[in-house]
Amino acid sequence: MMEHIIEFAEVVSQWTIPLAMLLIVVWAKIRGVAMYESFLVGAKEGFGVAVMIMPYLVAILVVIKVFLASGLFDDAKYVLAAGLRFAGVESTEVVDSLELLPLAFSKPLSGGASRGLLVEIFDDEQHGPDSRLGLTASLMMGSTETTFYVIAVYFGAVQVRRTRHTLPACLIADFVGLTAAVILGFVLF
Amino acid sequence: MLNRIWFWLLFIGIVYGFGKGVVESYFPPAVPAAVESDADAKADAKVDADSPGEPVVVANPFKQAGQNLTTAAIEAAEVSVTICLNLIGVMILWLGILQVAKDAGMVDALARLLRPLMRWLFPDVPDGHPAQGAMLMNISANMLGLDNAATPFGLKAMKELQELNSEKETATNSMATFLAINTSSVTLVPISVIALRSAAGGDPAAPVAGILLATIASTIAAVIAVRWLSKLPAFSDNPPPLVAGADGASGVEEDSV
C-alpha cells in the first residue's frame, strides 16, 4: 500500500513541471496573452538575479567549507563516543546514535557534506538504509534545509545585509525539525 | 549575527585545523580522517557522494591539514560560481514561465484563493501584490521537492518584497517569515532523500510519512519563532549600528554553531 502511494507521489512529482507548463500556456492562450513576449519580459530578469548572488554565495560557502575541512566534526564524534564509554554507557544504540550528530550539525551548513554523511551511514555494513539509524538519518535529512545557503542566496539577491531575526528563527525551526526527526525515528522504526 | 557567525566559522576552522595538524605530526592518528570534497549544489539530487575509501597514510599531517583548508576555500569559491552559472538558465526559464502565468491571471487567482492565509502570515504585503504570487509558487515548488523551480520563484519573491521595504539594507518581517517557512518547508515529496535511499538499495518509501510529520512540526515552529523573535527589541525594525556582542541573541546562540 505504502509503495503504491510513493510510486504515485514520484509520478506526480515527475509530471508536475510539464503539466504546470501546459496548464499555463493553455490558460494564457484562452486569455489571449501574447505569451512569447511576456515570457521574454520575465526571462530578462533571470540573468541579473543569478549573477548578483555570486559574491554572497562565495562569502558564505568559503567559511562553511573551511570550517568543515578542519575535521572538527569527526573529532567531536570520537570524543563524545569515548566520553560515553568512559561514563559507562555500554548500550550500542546510544553510541551509534552519535553517528547522527555530524549530520545534524552539517545539514544547515552544507548540502554536499550532509549528503556524504548520509551515504556513509547507508553504506556502513552495520547500519544500511533500512536500519533504525539509516531511517532516522533519512528523516533528519528530509526535515531540514541548508539554511545558511538559502539565507545567503535569498538575501544576496536583494542586497539585504542586516537579516535581523531571520537566522535565529530558521535555526530554531531546523532544531525542531531535527528533534522531531529523532523522536519519530524512535517511535516509528 | 551573520557577521559573528562568519568570523567564528572561519576562525575556528583555521585554528582547529592548525592545531589538529600539529597534534597529528607528533601523534600519528590510527585512522586518518578521509578528506571529502563535495559540490554543494542544492539543486542536483543525484550527487554520487564519495564515501571515504581506504585509509591513506599521510606523510606530513601538518602540511596536509594546511592543504585541506586551502583546497576547501578555493573549491568553495569555484563551486559557488558553478552553482550560479547553473542557476542562470533555470532562473531565466522559470521567471519567463512565471511572467506568462501572471499575465494570464493565474497567479492572482491562486493568491486570491489563499488570501486569508497570506494575510495572516504576511500582514505587511498588500493583497494582490506580486510578492504573494511568487511566494506561493516558491512554497508549492518546495513542497513537491522541485528545487530547480523553487529557487527562481523564491528570488523573485525576495525582489518583490524588497519593493515594499523602506530600509533597503534591513530585512522586513515578511522576508524573515518567508525564509523561515522556506527553510522549514513542509515536504510532501522529499526527492533527494528518496533518490539517495534507492541508490543505496534501501526502501525509498520508508521515511516519507515521517518527513512530512517532522516538517509540519518545524514549519509550525518556524512561524511561532519568527513571530516571537520579531517582537524582541534586539531585532527591532531599525537596529542601531552593530556593536560586537550587543545584538542580544544569547538565547539562540546554542543552536547556531
Side-chain angles (χ1 to χ4, degrees), chain A residues 6 27 31 38-39 45 59 65 70 72 75 111 115 129-130 135 138 145 154-155 158 161-162 164 167 173, chain B residues 5-6 13 16 20 38 40-41 99 103-104 106 156 162 169-171 173 179 182-183 197 203 205 218 235:
Chain A
I6 293 306
W27 192 310
R31 286 295 191 81
S38 77
F39 180 92
E45 282 178 57
K65 286 269 195 276
S70 70
L72 185 63
D75 297 354
R115 262 198 300 271
D130 291 329
L135 287 164
S138 306
E145 181 59 88
Y154 279 42
F155 279 126
V158 289
R161 284 188 313 105
R162 279 207 295 271
R164 290 176 57 219
L167 186 60
Chain B
I5 287 175
W6 206 82
Y16 189 85
K20 194 176 171 177
D38 51 54
D40 197 335
Q99 189 66 41
D103 290 350
M106 286 176 75
K156 176 84 179 150
Q162 183 71 322
E169 292 211 326
T170 310
N173 283 348
L179 270 163
N182 177 306
T183 58
R197 288 182 62 83
D203 168 14
S218 69
F235 302 116

Side-chain angles (χ1 to χ4, degrees), chain A residues 8 11 17 22 27 60 84 108 118 120 126 138 150 173-174 182:
Chain A
F8 177 73
V11 170
I17 288 179
L22 184 69
W27 192 310
I60 202 85
L84 277 177
L118 186 66
E120 225 175 287
Q126 296 169 308
S138 306
V150 174
D174 273 339
V182 172

